[in-house]
Amino acid sequence: MSIALKVDGLAKTFPISGGLFGRQKAGVRAVRPMSFEVPTGETLGIVGESGCGKSTLARMLVGLLEPTEGTIEIEGKALDNADPAKFGRLIQYMFQDPVSSLNPRKTIKQIMEVPLKRLYGMGRAERDKRIGEIFDSVNLRSEFLERYPHEFSGGQAQRIGVARALAAAPRIIILDEPVSALDVSVQAQVLNLLRDLKGEFGLTYLFISHDLAVVEAVSDRIVVLYFGSVVEIGKAEEVFANPRHPYTKLLAESAPVVGRPLKAPEQKDSELPDPLNPPPGCAFATRCPRATDQCRREEPRLEAMGGDQYAACFHPL
Amino acid sequence: MSFLKLLFRNRLAAMGAVVLGLILLLVVLIPLLPLQDPDVTNTSNRFLPPLSDGHLLGTDHLGRDLLARLLHGTRLSLGVGISAALIAGTIGSAVGIIAGYFGGRADNIIMRGIDMLMAFPYILLALAIVAALGPGLFNALIAVAAVNIPFFARNIRGITVGLAGREFIDAARLAGMGHTRIILTELLPNVLSTIVIAMSTTVGWMILETAGLSFLGLGSQPPQADLGSMLGEARSALITDPHTSIIPGIMIFLIVMSINLLGDGVRDALDPRLRSGALARPRAQTLVERKGDIPTDDQKGLLNIQNLETQFHVGKRVYRAVNDVTLFVNPGECLGVIGESGSGKSVTALSVMGLVASPPGVVTGGAVRYEGEDLLSAPFESLRRKRGDKVAYIFQDPLSTLHPLYRVGDQLMEAIQVHHKMSDKEARAKAVDLLKSVRIPNPESRIRSYPHEMSGGMRQRVGIAMALANDPDVIIADEPTTALDVTVQAQILALLDDLRRERGLAIVFITHDFGVVAQLCDRVAVLYGGRIVEQGTTTDVLDHPAHPYTKRLMACVPELGGGKRRLEAIPGLPPMVSDLPPGCAFAPRCDKATEACSRGEIALAGSGTRAVRCIHPEEEIA
Ligand SMILES: Nc1ncnc2c1ncn2[C@@H]1O[C@H](COP(=O)(O)OP(=O)(O)OP(=O)(O)O)[C@@H](O)[C@H]1O
Ligand code: SF4
Ligand code: SF4
Ligand SMILES: [Mg+2]
């Protein structure tokens, strides 16, 4: 199986600037060095709570943010982000807010034409044909092309977002909370569409969401992030069913499920660590029922837990 | 054309447009008018008064025809002022867009430069520029444009910073656009209206400033006339022959006034808030205009909503947000209200205490009874006393109830003291107790925190503490956990559950999440298109959904533990409440729909608390 995306030691630290000429002090480590691979055709789910670095990771992968450390390889070639056009043909990003990702002053057609013109230098006739094909595959009517973004519902706007990403004919699409702004009854439509398109165009997905059930339903493997680090990776059907990391277990137990009685999962402290002043050792230690002195001293590394599962914990479940 | 309509609805702006139009017309017609040469002197006819033979407005100190000079001067002043506005607008906007788009160091350096320019009183700056370049109309133009650049740069930068963070800019970059192209095709169209507004509101001042420089002899040079130099030359004859100063003075006044009135009108007409009619001040209480009879009290529950109908009247459109909704809740009970976005959940909740914004909201029917008393007919004072004290709200975004600039402890104390007279010390003790009861660690020190210093989960706890401040009997919680992470959501739900058991609170819990309903609520009502389509105990509804919508909605929500799979989707979209179909609102999406479904009103049928609104229900309900 070929590797579509390989990330090695990728990290991002946001400097905290001290005015115009101020020297940069140590910054916020939004993403700590992380490494993972995504085989071609896979959907890799990424879950984690707000502020755990999901979107920072995504924006680095598509070249909207410069990594502080580490490398990104797409199909075996190191990514150089000098040329946006090169980038755009390999990897695309689908945004969380379908409406704000469309320029309010442009028609859908003008929006759709940009990637075809800029990335592939297509002529007018060729563009029209391609847009028609893409619109067919995402079930949008071609009348929509002459309209403006505000005339669409969230679900339709998100389909247009999908269509724009497809127009770049990328190898990989990063889906950043692609359905969380949508109505429940419309979510399933978009998720199914994404699934069909993946088969049709041979795509690889990175699916980012805070909704565990949605991620489980669409992913092959799942990465769990906490405080900027990968704490667990494994097969979708295993990670939440048999979590090895205490944080994954906490997540799985917190998700409201029909037929499960209400109980707040035990934890000592619900606060995330202060990103400006991170604790030594395991970032989860203040909330973890299994924490020991070792956890508060050393940082646990991601280790094989048998099968395809990896967890970063000294005392796995 | 709604822009022109809005513009001319503003009387003053219309007047400005008419005056300015007349002046422009005169100026344009100069070559056709039988005017004398403005620069020909005739010292024997000095200071002729207005209405003299051959000189309608008289002559000046050199015997030149004032009418001709006035019109030529006006043309020149307008031309210079408008050119200065265009130059300042173009350069300033370009600087602002570049600073705002690139941000970081470029922004810092550019804006510090602009700040330095602004630190000088601008008339001094203009004088310095003219002094350096030498007097002359063209140099005056440059000076006036230069001193106005910072105004444009700052305004446009502010807007650009907001736009540059928007996702469509990132999307354009990913689609392969370079910086120049993004600025020209993505940003510029979005800031253009602001640039136009800024220009239309400043061009008047620029004309005035140019006139000022000419008045001081630094602008137009003799014999060329502009309004400023006419005033300047007439200065010495101000007492003896006032008409020579009054005539150009009136013209300056007319031009600047008409441009400013028109400019303000343009600004207001382009303001999107004015367009949606939102500038009308909302009432303190929702307007109630009930068409039918008020339902009689059926003595159910502590809070009893009967046949509630709430609409929004926007222009000619009527949004029927809530239609015939009947709900009640008992002490210690939790009633779930579930529905998709736009199904009317929030409007139902806000109607209870008259919190729906009016205009455009109107309650058009039904009753809301608290302990039997109809709140919809209650006077505002009595309603105000019950808000927070008897019925309290928790909203999705706790920041909407917390003031960002006050410490949470002070806000809690204020909430308590509004309804109950007590000393600050007692109130503070109560505030600490409240924070303790919502399980905030270290409440004694936390009361001194500001809302922004707390995490989302913490803030929502404070929001709940605010709601509990006056020991209400009913809490209406509108998606209180939607914005929270799952681990925090679990804690908040457990907290609400404890509270209602300990304090016998009645909770109306609004959500779109079946998992949450299943865990917290005793009974549930499902809303679609502003109507209840199904209700019953939570177990009945979730285990045996009777309405096709409920059943299919549950099927399309993935549940944890289901593994990778294709989801059951419902085709189509939820209905627009401005255009509800007759009969069942779900019919266009329902695979069991028959012709009868769209024929007419379908009643909510059932017994006791279990009921469904469907002709072909999935389950027969007793
Ligand atoms: N100020 C307003 N002017 C016009 N229509 C409005 C206004 N406020 C709400 N509506 C309409 O009333 C209907 C019901 O809205 P409501 O806010 O109750 O939905 P909801 O069920 O709470 O949705 P959500 O899940 O998005 O919060 C919607 O169609 C909405 O467009
Ligand atoms: S390393 Fe220690 S503190 Fe961290 S999750 Fe594992 S047991 Fe808990
Ligand atoms: S009334 Fe008819 S259209 Fe409506 S849900 Fe029932 S079967 Fe479907
Ligand atoms: Mg709502």
Side-chain angles (χ1 to χ4, degrees), chain B residues 234-493:
Chain B
R235 188 171 29 175
S236 49
L238 185 62
I239 309 291
T240 50
D241 295 282
H243 71 275
T244 49
S245 333
I246 290 173
I247 288 168
I250 288 178
M251 185 52 101
I252 292 180
F253 169 75
L254 284 178
I255 291 176
V256 175
M257 179 204 68
S258 62
I259 288 183
N260 284 353
L261 288 178
L262 187 61
D264 287 351
V266 168
R267 185 193 57 208
D268 290 347
L270 284 178
D271 188 326
R273 279 177 306 168
L274 189 76
R275 289 203 155 177
S276 59
L279 281 192
R281 226 181 60 198
R283 301 155 166 259
Q285 179 184 2
T286 312
L287 187 66
V288 179
E289 274 176 1
R290 283 180 280 196
K291 303 262 152 52
D293 297 333
I294 299 172
T296 48
D297 187 7
D298 56 6
Q299 315 247 323
K300 277 187 188 157
L302 176 62
L303 180 70
N304 189 8
I305 302 174
Q306 299 174 290
N307 311 97
L308 180 71
E309 247 181 57
T310 306
Q311 305 182 338
F312 293 95
H313 295 179
V314 182
K316 284 199 192 64
R317 311 208 86 172
V318 175
Y319 294 80
R320 292 160 60 202
V322 178
N323 304 302
D324 192 21
V325 165
T326 300
L327 295 169
F328 68 91
V329 59
N330 287 313
E333 189 182 37
C334 179
L335 170 73
V337 177
I338 196 164
E340 294 179 81
S341 174
S343 60
K345 308 183 296 286
S346 301
V347 177
T348 305
L350 294 174
S351 301
V352 169
M353 281 282 132
L355 293 173
V356 178
S358 277
V362 189
V363 173
T364 49
V368 175
R369 297 188 186 278
Y370 177 80
E371 288 180 328
E373 181 197 349
D374 182 21
L375 298 179
L376 295 180
S377 33
F380 174 65
E381 193 41 41
S382 127
L383 199 61
R384 195 190 61 80
R385 260 185 279 115
K386 290 197 179 65
R387 284 180 185 171
D389 197 26
K390 303 284 185 217
V391 180
Y393 285 87
I394 306 172
F395 294 103
Q396 174 170 341
D397 176 12
L399 285 181
S400 64
T401 32
L402 294 176
H403 195 292
L405 297 181
Y406 293 99
R407 301 174 196 276
V408 297
D410 295 343
Q411 298 190 51
L412 275 170
M413 284 166 58
E414 196 197 320
I416 298 166
Q417 286 170 324
V418 164
H419 288 292
H420 300 275
K421 271 207 165 56
M422 57 170 85
S423 71
D424 281 1
K425 199 162 157 243
E426 283 170 298
R428 186 179 314 271
K430 176 119 203 256
V432 171
D433 277 349
L434 281 169
L435 291 184
K436 211 178 277 168
S437 69
V438 295
R439 322 248 161 82
I440 287 190
N442 298 328
E444 288 83 2
S445 62
R446 272 298 178 181
I447 58 170
R448 276 190 296 277
S449 299
Y450 290 95
H452 68 87
E453 295 170 344
M454 305 182 128
S455 66
M458 269 305 188
R459 280 202 291 258
Q460 193 54 288
R461 277 168 218 249
V462 175
I464 296 176
M466 290 280 259
L468 293 175
N470 292 294
D471 289 310
D473 303 315
V474 181
I475 284 197
I476 300 179
D478 189 353
E479 311 224 23
T481 59
T482 304
L484 303 177
D485 287 320
V486 274
T487 57
V488 183
Q489 164 169 299
Q491 293 164 1
I492 300 279
L493 293 180

Side-chain angles (χ1 to χ4, degrees), chain B residues 190-234:
Chain B
N190 283 294
V191 292
L192 210 54
S193 66
T194 318
I195 298 179
V196 170
I197 291 172
M199 275 197 205
S200 67
T201 47
T202 47
V203 64
W205 301 121
M206 295 203 211
I207 291 175
L208 210 53
E209 285 157 17
T210 333
L213 289 176
S214 292
F215 177 82
L216 297 175
L218 299 169
S220 76
Q221 298 300 308
Q224 195 183 37
D226 85 342
L227 294 174
S229 62
M230 284 176 75
L231 264 186
E233 288 163 1

Side-chain angles (χ1 to χ4, degrees), chain A residues 74-114:
Chain A
I74 293 179
E75 299 188 326
K77 286 190 286 283
L79 205 54
D80 82 294
N81 41 11
D83 181 3
K86 239 189 212 154
F87 229 96
R89 282 191 298 235
L90 291 172
I91 191 161
Q92 278 291 329
Y93 188 62
M94 218 177 95
F95 296 89
Q96 172 167 2
D97 182 346
V99 177
S100 110
S101 65
L102 302 174
N103 188 339
R105 305 266 166 175
K106 286 188 159 184
T107 63
I108 303 306
K109 182 165 181 175
Q110 289 172 321
I111 291 172
M112 287 292 297
E113 280 182 329
V114 177

